Amino acid sequence: MCGIIGIVGRENVHVNQLIYDGLTILQHRGQDAAGIMTDFNGKFRLRKSNGLVSDIFYTRHMRRLQGHVGIGHVRYPTAGSFSRSEAQPFYVNSPYGLGLAHNGNLTNAKELQVQLTDKHHRHMNTSSDSELLLNMLAVELDSNGSSLSIEGAPHLDVETVFGAVKNVHRRVEGSYACVSIISGYGLLAFRDPYGIRPLIFGSREVDGRSEWIVASESVAITALGFDIVRDVQPGEAIFISNSGHLFHRQCAEKVEASPCIFEHVYFARPDSVIDGISVYHARLNQGDVLAKRILEQWPDHDIDAVIPVPDSGRIAALQMAKALDVPYREGFVKNRYVGRTFIMPGQALREKSVRRKLNAIEHEFAGKNILLVDDSIVRGTTSAQIIEMARDVGASKVYFASAAPPVRYPNVYGIDMPAINEFIADGKSIDEINSIIGSDRLFYQSLEDLIEATSIGEHPPSRFDTSCFNGEYVTGGIDEAYLDALYASRNDTAKVESSEDDEIVDMHNDTED
């Protein structure tokens, strides 16, 4: 999962600070790397590296990132490695000069690699599928052709742009929400025909001129002082010219809106609205429905208090406490300077970080029967350690509730859930999982309840991508061979080896910071 942003501002007004601020708002979507690219006087200005946004961009970098059109990216690695070379945005010089930032994961990356190398003679410098997507867009822009201006210089029109995106949809499979700079022309944004990854745009008027923003989440739009226009529709492309004119076109021949439901469980900020659905209200509903199911199964429960696993379990826990008619308490204090453990590569690193990340408030646990609430249970690492922490400070009984169903299948659309045997729910019953994590009783949300709780708003989608819960991949084409290859490239051992290799590469190819 990554975060992307693109801005077209007024001419002669640099957008670097707006993009920087937007990336800090989207930082929760990726903490591995970040980058900003701007277009200034026909040349790209680019700064990207590993780390948090606040650690990468210094004053000297911001001064160089001139231009009134720009894009940005925060990276959480799912495909490729962890080296600085994998950070986005990527760019190619031909045609026109093209930069791109991508959120998602391409499921036919190997086929695209062969096509681009053998047929189109394109050189790939990284193992990132985002670079493949950039080059495929470049090929289609080039092959769609262009007319000539009066002066004889190449001239790009919107029909060529939308035609290129249409062909990208035909050739590229998987999930992709993208922002792209076409040097000298403007900003292009597009979303895959299933709308798996989120993308939304907004605008504002300043001194009689329109400024535009495209981002992964609505919170980045409103926090920067823009007004939301609407979501980019599945399969749709929008193009904003350098002069601030907006064009849009449905470019996919077949559209089947299937947004990722895990955005509403874990990834998105609660103050965002995605595809017309308030993330906050979806999580409230998830807590309410789960509490009702607990009451049906266990009407004479002995729960003394509901305590959330911060932060993503908090909203569901609030509603659960209300529905169960028991006190809501904050029992853990979070160290906000430790990264999200779900995103960290390697089981040993995740296990080490949980105790550094959370500290229990003894008074809220001692002698009480506690219901802990988390958004989901993936590997079970965090859950087991948190339950142990609760017992260490005197909890009499520790019950555990997951606002999501058991995660049993790899996610192939941009969430780092690749290895089935790393899921605690793999091949196990709920009672077995309960025994492994050490809780006295374990409750999971059902998939049907999760979908119902999240299907809110005026026009909720007719379906969600729920593949990590039921193994049904909305794009099709995912077989056992693909999942085996995914496991080989992304399991914890592979990640550690990849990180070690890339550290050596970076030492020999370091650039000036």
Side-chain angles (χ1 to χ4, degrees), residues 129-422:
D129 61 342
S130 303
E131 189 182 17
L132 295 174
L133 183 55
L134 167 65
N135 277 273
M136 189 58 69
L137 177 62
V139 166
E140 295 301 341
L141 278 172
D142 206 21
S143 63
N144 268 318
S146 61
S147 59
L148 294 177
S149 66
I150 295 175
E151 292 82 7
H155 175 73
L156 180 68
D157 56 46
V158 293
E159 295 302 321
T160 299
V161 174
F162 292 145
V165 175
K166 184 176 183 178
N167 287 334
V168 167
H169 287 327
R170 289 172 175 167
R171 301 179 69 176
V172 174
E173 298 173 6
S175 64
Y176 48 94
C178 304
V179 288
S180 174
I181 299 178
I182 304 176
S183 182
Y185 292 96
L187 177 74
L188 170 65
F190 56 98
R191 194 177 181 193
D192 71 73
Y194 296 89
I196 299 172
R197 302 269 68 87
L199 196 62
I200 189 168
F201 69 99
S203 68
R204 68 181 180 185
E205 293 290 320
V206 180
D207 297 332
R209 298 292 300 274
S210 295
E211 294 187 326
W212 298 89
I213 181 172
V214 186
S216 293
E217 294 186 31
S218 63
V219 63
I221 293 176
T222 55
L224 294 181
F226 288 78
D227 297 318
I228 293 172
V229 175
R230 61 175 174 83
D231 294 282
V232 177
Q233 296 303 303
E236 184 183 26
I238 65 172
F239 180 76
I240 305 164
S241 68
N242 278 351
S243 58
H245 293 88
L246 174 75
F247 305 86
H248 61 92
R249 181 77 53 82
Q250 177 53 253
C251 297
E253 296 173 352
K254 182 181 179 182
V255 174
E256 297 182 48
S258 309
C260 176
I261 203 167
F262 215 76
E263 291 277 356
H264 297 281
V265 171
Y266 175 78
F267 272 103
R269 272 182 45 158
D271 44 348
S272 284
V273 177
I274 296 176
D275 293 309
I277 298 172
S278 164
V279 176
Y280 177 79
H281 286 103
R283 290 178 184 169
L284 282 178
N285 287 355
Q286 292 160 17
D288 188 57
V289 172
L290 182 54
K292 290 176 180 176
R293 293 290 179 261
I294 291 175
L295 288 173
E296 289 176 2
Q297 300 171 26
W298 193 21
D300 57 343
H301 69 81
D302 61 353
I303 300 169
D304 294 319
V306 173
I307 292 178
V309 176
D311 285 320
S312 49
R314 181 170 283 123
I315 298 170
L318 275 168
Q319 195 66 14
M320 290 186 71
K322 180 180 178 181
L324 293 169
D325 194 26
V326 298
Y328 169 89
R329 292 289 184 266
E330 291 284 345
F332 295 102
V333 176
K334 184 177 182 180
N335 178 356
R336 301 191 179 278
Y337 302 96
V338 177
R340 299 173 87 174
T341 55
F342 178 86
I343 291 176
M344 289 182 176
Q347 186 74 357
L349 181 56
R350 280 189 294 270
E351 291 176 354
K352 184 178 180 181
S353 67
V354 172
R355 292 257 180 187
R356 296 203 311 258
K357 182 178 180 180
L358 296 176
N359 190 54
I361 302 173
E362 182 175 351
H363 176 74
E364 296 300 335
F365 292 92
K368 298 178 183 178
N369 299 333
I370 299 299
L371 175 63
L372 298 178
V373 180
D374 205 351
D375 60 273
S376 60
I377 305 173
V378 181
R379 295 170 175 90
T381 304
T382 300
S383 304
Q385 292 192 56
I386 288 174
I387 291 167
E388 183 181 355
M389 291 169 64
R391 295 196 189 282
D392 288 345
V393 292
S396 296
K397 294 181 180 178
V398 182
Y399 310 118
F400 204 93
S402 166
V407 175
R408 300 187 185 276
Y409 301 92
N411 184 286
V412 302
Y413 300 127
I415 300 177
D416 194 17
M417 297 178 179
I420 293 178
N421 65 357
E422 292 174 8

